[in-house]
Amino acid sequence: MSEICKNWTQWLKQNRFAGQTPEMIEQTTKWLEAVRDVILVYAEIMQHETVIDIGCGTGLLAFKALEMQDCKGKVIFSDKFQDCLDDCKKILDESGVTEGYEMLLSPCEHIALPESSVHKALMRSVLVHIVHKQPAISEIYRILKPGGKFCAFEPVIRSNTRYWEILDPMYIEKYGDFKRVENEMMENELDSLCNFDENTLRMNLEIAGFSIPEVKVQEVASRYVVQAGMVPEWFNNPPSPGQPSTKERYLKYFDEATVNKYMQDVQNYLTGREISLRSNAVFINATK
Ligand SMILES: C[S@@+](CC[C@H](N)C(=O)[O-])C[C@H]1O[C@@H](n2cnc3c(N)ncnc32)[C@H](O)[C@@H]1O
C-alpha cells in the first residue's frame, strides 16, 4: 500500500492536485466549487432544516450549507475519519462559529442517526471509495425523512479515458500486455473506484427505495499538453489514502523492471504532447 499519503485531509489538500500545474489547480478548485453549487441547488436547503454532509472531508459541501442556513438550522459534518472532522472543527472554531452544526464520526454504511431524522443528505466523491455501495445508499435512505432528498456527485472512473487510448503501440514496449491489464483493473468488481456506473447507481437507489431517482451523466472533456514530471505523478500518486497507486497495481502483474520501463516509455511518448481526456461523472438527485 502506498505510504505517500497518510490520511484524507492530506490527500484532499495535497495529493489530489499532484501533477497539476498552478493553472490546472485553479481550474480544479473552480470545478469543485461548481460541482458543490449544483449539489446545493438540487438540495433546495431551507434555513430550519437538518442537513448532513456524508464523507465531508475538508467540508466542501457542509461549510456552504452552513452559510446558506446562516447557522439557523443544523448541518452535520459527518465522516468515517477523525482527521477530517478535526480539520473542519478547527476552521469553525477559528471563524468563531459556535452554533448550527454538529460533528459526527460515523461510516456511511452505519450512520449513527435515527431513522427519518434528516431533511437533506449531501455527498461528493464518497461512494467511489466504498466497495459495497448498496448498504451505504440504503443507509442514506433510512436516515432521510419522507420527502427528504439525497443529492450527490460521483466520478464514474470506469468510463474515463484509459492510458492505452492515448498511447501509440509503436513507442510502448509491451503495449498489448499493459492494455489488457489496464482493462482488467478497470473492470475489477472488488475495486471501489471502478466497480460502478450510472446504471448500477440507479439500481442501488431504486433498491434502497428512492422512486424514479435522477442520475444525470456529466461528460467532461479536457485537453492539455503533458509536462515533464506529470507522468510519474499519475503512476505514483495513490487515488486515496491507504490505496495502492497505479504503479503498485501494475506490480501485481509485472516485475518492477517491466513496470519502470513502461512508465519510462509512457513518459517519453507523452511529454510535450497534447492529449484529450474524457472523464465522466454523475449527479444524483433522489427523493425519499
Ligand atoms: C474524495 S473525499 C471527498 C470529501 C468531500 N466530500 C469533498 O467533496 O471534498 C472522500 C471522503 O469520504 C470519506 N470516507 C471514505 N470512506 C467513508 C465511509 N465508509 N464512510 C464515510 N466517509 C467515508 C473520507 O474520509 C473522505 O473525507
Side-chain angles (χ1 to χ4, degrees):
M1 290 294 163
S2 180
E3 293 299 320
I4 295 175
C5 178
K6 68 178 193 318
N7 62 29
W8 266 109
T9 38
Q10 187 194 330
W11 189 90
L12 288 163
K13 289 179 180 177
Q14 295 166 23
N15 297 70
R16 79 159 130 198
F17 299 114
Q20 295 194 8
T21 60
E23 297 75 42
M24 289 163 93
I25 292 175
E26 201 187 319
Q27 273 175 21
T28 304
T29 307
K30 283 196 180 135
W31 169 80
L32 284 166
E33 288 169 0
V35 167
R36 173 198 67 192
D37 293 347
V38 172
I39 295 173
L40 291 168
V41 166
Y42 280 157
E44 301 176 296
I45 293 171
M46 314 251 244
Q47 283 200 332
H48 67 280
E49 288 183 332
T50 298
V51 179
I52 183 169
D53 179 359
I54 301 169
C56 63
T58 45
L60 178 77
L61 305 172
F63 282 118
K64 192 72 183 176
L66 193 60
E67 195 184 307
M68 288 166 75
Q69 285 193 326
D70 200 16
C71 303
K72 294 191 173 81
K74 183 160 74 177
V75 174
I76 302 170
F77 289 71
S78 161
D79 206 286
K80 185 179 175 181
F81 299 99
Q82 188 64 44
D83 62 290
C84 297
L85 300 183
D86 291 346
D87 195 77
C88 294
K89 183 72 171 72
K90 188 164 173 272
I91 294 171
L92 290 162
D93 290 347
E94 283 169 1
S95 321
V97 181
T98 56
E99 54 191 6
Y101 69 87
E102 270 180 31
M103 296 295 176
L104 180 69
L105 183 65
S106 194
C108 76
E109 299 89 334
H110 300 284
I111 305 174
L113 286 176
E115 202 174 309
S116 306
S117 57
V118 307
H119 297 90
K120 307 284 159 66
L122 315 175
M123 185 181 249
R124 194 200 72 88
S125 289
V126 179
L127 294 171
V128 68
H129 300 291
I130 294 174
V131 176
H132 302 294
K133 293 165 182 36
Q134 187 64 59
I137 293 177
S138 295
E139 186 64 350
I140 294 167
Y141 185 85
R142 184 189 69 78
I143 63 160
L144 279 175
K145 291 176 185 285
K149 288 180 121 194
F150 171 42
C151 304
F153 169 94
E154 292 293 332
V156 179
I157 293 171
R158 186 149 92 183
S159 32
N160 285 356
T161 307
R162 299 188 182 174
Y163 288 119
W164 60 263
E165 292 181 75
I166 53 170
L167 298 172
D168 183 335
M170 286 275 289
Y171 297 88
I172 312 289
E173 210 180 293
K174 299 204 190 290
Y175 172 91
D177 292 339
F178 277 88
K179 173 178 174 179
R180 179 183 50 76
V181 163
E182 187 180 5
N183 285 341
E184 197 176 311
M185 292 192 316
M186 296 303 278
E187 279 141 38
N188 177 0
E189 281 304 313
L190 292 176
D191 185 341
S192 70
L193 297 177
C194 41
N195 67 357
F196 71 105
D197 62 18
E198 60 276 19
N199 298 319
T200 61
L201 282 179
R202 188 176 294 105
M203 197 177 69
N204 293 145
L205 289 158
E206 285 170 356
I207 290 172
F210 291 102
S211 61
I212 326 179
E214 190 184 326
V215 182
K216 214 186 249 176
V217 177
Q218 184 197 52
E219 259 191 53
V220 177
S222 57
R223 250 180 123 75
Y224 61 90
V225 175
V226 177
Q227 301 192 5
M230 279 185 178
V231 172
E233 291 287 2
W234 295 349
F235 284 102
N236 290 315
N237 196 45
S240 65
Q243 283 241 24
S245 63
T246 302
K247 177 175 179 180
E248 288 166 324
R249 284 163 203 252
Y250 282 134
L251 286 172
K252 294 195 179 121
Y253 297 86
F254 306 103
D255 63 35
E256 184 145 22
T258 306
V259 174
N260 286 341
K261 173 73 170 72
Y262 174 70
M263 284 168 56
Q264 192 60 56
D265 285 352
V266 174
Q267 182 170 347
N268 293 346
Y269 177 71
L270 287 180
T271 303
R273 259 176 222 276
E274 188 174 52
I275 55 169
S276 300
L277 298 178
R278 175 184 75 244
S279 52
N280 288 0
V282 291
F283 282 98
I284 294 171
N285 186 8
T287 304
K288 178 169 177 178

